[in-house]
Amino acid sequence: MKTLYLDCGMGAAGDMLMAALLELCTEQEKEKFLETMNHRLGLPGVTVEAEPAVKCGITGTHMTVKVHGEEEGSHDHGHSHEHTHSHDDSHGHEHTHSHDDSHGHEHTHSHSHSRLHDIEHIISHMEVSEQVKADVLAVYKLIAEAESHAHGVPVEEIHFHEVGTMDAVADVTGVCLLMEQLEIGQVIASPVHVGSGQVRCAHGILPVPAPATAYMLQDVPIYGGSIQGELCTPTGAALLKHFVSRFGAMPVMKVAAIGYGCGKKDFEAANCVRASLGETLEGADEVVELCCNLDDMTPEALGFAQEELLAAGALDVYTTAIGMKKCRPGVMLTCMCRREQADQMKELLFRHTTTLGIREYVCSRTTLQRTIKELDTEFGTLHRKEVSGWGVQRGKLEYEELAEIAREKGMSLEEVRQRIESR
């Protein structure tokens, strides 16, 4: 499968993601992309340029989005609070926001505002595919919902700064357009570095990540570090949330192209998002093995625990005979599951076994492709499990169906199997 892996070791911002994806394109594709961004989006006064950049000796690309000839730099929040404030994040973007709400606050500002339905109007007039329009709108809805939750304002009342909106729409649309243009099958990303410390505003201090960003990054593995400032911006968080199917280590893949999307500032670490595009190996994925040693459970209780784990969606559950301390015979119970299931399976292991601790291993595995085929037979419709890949192709009739027929007809399993496969 064509896979995109995003290394977010320095966070993520809309312009950095766009630049990293653009580097994966051919020269012809880059020209086509910039033509679309500058002449087919219908964003008044907006121009998009790709410029070479160097971070810690690594050559990459920096995207410059200008509105009426000026680089706005407020695109990666693209939202409004119940006060006016500004700050610089660690990528070099300056963010200025203001909010004209209905709670009696008085604000003075020189720019009008747009609500979500105005964004929808802008998107509907773009000369891009319906899929790109849907993706852009979905990203904006994520941001609006996060702002609504963070500031207690209904989604329909969230305001987007007009000039900042043009800037932000360009970033979001650029990423969505490149995702379609590169024909990516799946997107996987590393855990996200969000930065650390606080952001000073005119009316107070906000923690990093900002409240809206933190809301969107729920259920996403994130971490802080020694870098003071905001590394993952709201737009970056929304784009990751929308496109990434899972977060974790880089999968086994054959990389065909690598792109670096650079921020403005310089740090000891390269301030960039790295995008790797390639093919994941056939049937390769990651699983988690959860293991615990048991010497004080009855066979019935142990069997019940296994049934509960399998019923909850474990890929496999099995026991291994072991010798434990004090010369006690025991069993090692192993539960194999997908990474996103690990916490649920741990909870079940602690609930249904007597273990005091669980060992966890992340493993790479390679599987054959599996499909279920229906067969019309003299015994009715039966099912055959077929597998293929790596030069192998074979099939097997479902045991439970064969066993039911054998009992009903007074035949052996082999006799039933031969009758079916001979026709």
Side-chain angles (χ1 to χ4, degrees):
M1 179 183 293
K2 194 172 186 180
T3 299
L4 173 69
Y5 184 75
L6 298 173
D7 185 339
C8 301
M10 286 296 286
D15 60 342
M16 295 171 71
L17 289 168
M18 178 166 52
L21 294 178
L22 186 63
E23 285 220 326
L24 301 176
C25 299
T26 65
E27 290 303 317
Q28 185 176 1
E29 289 170 337
K30 290 178 182 178
E31 292 177 6
K32 177 184 176 182
F33 170 76
L34 292 173
E35 169 69 19
T36 299
M37 293 296 295
N38 287 308
H39 302 291
R40 293 170 55 190
L41 296 190
L43 301 179
V46 173
T47 58
V48 179
E49 299 175 0
E51 303 172 338
V54 178
K55 299 295 175 183
C56 296
I58 298 174
T59 301
T61 296
H62 172 71
M63 299 301 296
T64 300
V65 179
K66 295 181 179 179
V67 182
H68 300 298
E70 296 184 5
E71 187 172 3
E72 181 66 15
S74 62
H75 56 281
D76 261 305
H77 271 35
H79 62 273
S80 306
H81 294 181
E82 295 168 313
H83 52 264
T84 301
H85 67 272
S86 63
H87 68 270
D88 289 322
D89 66 28
S90 291
H91 291 303
H93 306 301
E94 182 180 330
H95 304 271
T96 303
H97 318 287
S98 60
H99 186 217
D100 182 15
D101 60 29
S102 58
H103 301 285
H105 300 290
E106 294 183 3
H107 305 277
T108 301
H109 51 79
S110 59
H111 298 289
S112 61
H113 295 72
S114 298
R115 295 185 179 182
L116 189 58
H117 69 84
D118 298 311
I119 302 299
E120 293 175 352
H121 178 77
I122 293 171
I123 295 169
S124 67
H125 286 78
M126 293 179 180
E127 293 183 37
V128 295
S129 72
E130 291 303 315
Q131 181 59 57
V132 171
K133 291 179 182 180
D135 286 334
V136 175
L137 182 57
V139 171
Y140 260 96
K141 284 183 176 179
L142 285 173
I143 297 173
E145 289 168 3
E147 288 298 326
S148 172
H149 181 272
H151 302 293
V153 179
V155 169
E156 57 272 14
E157 293 182 19
I158 293 294
H159 290 70
F160 296 88
H161 188 286
E162 185 178 37
V163 177
T165 295
M166 296 302 102
D167 193 10
V169 170
D171 275 354
V172 174
T173 304
V175 173
C176 296
L177 191 62
L178 286 165
M179 286 288 187
E180 179 186 60
Q181 186 169 301
L182 291 167
E183 299 180 338
I184 296 167
Q186 66 171 341
V187 182
I188 303 172
S190 70
V192 182
H193 188 178
V194 295
S196 63
Q198 298 171 320
V199 176
R200 181 176 298 278
C201 306
H203 292 273
I205 296 175
L206 297 178
V208 172
T213 303
Y215 181 81
M216 285 185 282
L217 291 178
Q218 290 182 111
D219 300 322
V220 172
I222 63 175
Y223 63 97
S226 60
I227 296 177
Q228 295 288 312
E230 181 183 51
L231 295 185
C232 185
T233 64
T235 299
L239 287 164
L240 293 175
K241 192 79 170 184
H242 178 65
F243 283 109
V244 176
S245 57
R246 68 178 175 88
F247 293 82
M250 187 176 188
V252 179
M253 60 188 291
K254 294 181 179 179
V255 177
I258 300 175
Y260 293 88
C262 302
K264 288 184 180 179
K265 288 191 174 181
D266 294 317
F267 301 100
E268 291 184 4
N271 185 21
C272 58
V273 170
R274 179 165 65 182
S276 301
L277 184 65
E279 292 286 337
T280 49
L281 296 184
E282 185 179 12
D285 65 359
E286 287 185 339
V287 295
V288 173
E289 284 189 358
L290 303 173
C291 307
C292 58
N293 296 354
L294 305 164
D295 65 359
D296 57 353
M297 289 183 67
T298 65
E300 294 88 352
L302 187 57
F304 181 78
Q306 291 178 265
E307 291 172 358
E308 289 296 294
L309 291 164
L310 289 169
L315 297 173
D316 198 5
V317 182
Y318 56 92
T319 60
T320 306
I322 58 174
M324 297 178 61
K325 62 184 179 182
K326 298 183 181 179
C327 299
R328 294 173 182 170
V331 296
M332 180 172 66
L333 178 62
T334 301
C335 173
M336 189 168 70
C337 65
R338 302 192 186 282
R339 296 189 71 161
E340 60 269 20
Q341 298 174 300
D343 288 344
Q344 178 190 7
M345 296 301 159
K346 290 176 191 175
E347 181 179 344
L348 291 173
L349 281 167
F350 281 124
R351 182 187 305 170
H352 296 296
T353 74
T354 56
T355 188
L356 301 180
I358 300 169
R359 300 182 299 280
E360 179 175 347
Y361 307 95
V362 178
C363 310
S364 296
R365 71 167 184 168
T366 302
T367 61
L368 298 176
Q369 294 181 349
R370 286 165 281 187
T371 58
I372 301 296
K373 183 179 179 181
E374 290 189 349
L375 299 177
D376 292 326
T377 74
E378 61 180 292
F379 303 110
T381 301
L382 301 179
H383 298 86
R384 177 184 173 89
K385 182 185 297 181
E386 298 189 345
V387 296
S388 62
W390 293 84
V392 172
Q393 187 167 359
R394 59 176 180 264
K396 184 178 182 180
L397 293 166
E398 288 289 352
Y399 163 76
E400 295 294 345
E401 294 179 342
L402 292 179
E404 183 179 353
I405 295 169
R407 295 187 189 102
E408 181 181 334
K409 303 296 183 181
M411 303 167 63
S412 69
L413 282 175
E414 188 58 31
E415 286 175 327
V416 176
R417 184 180 293 109
Q418 288 179 0
R419 286 270 292 271
I420 295 170
E421 294 182 342
S422 65
R423 292 179 179 271

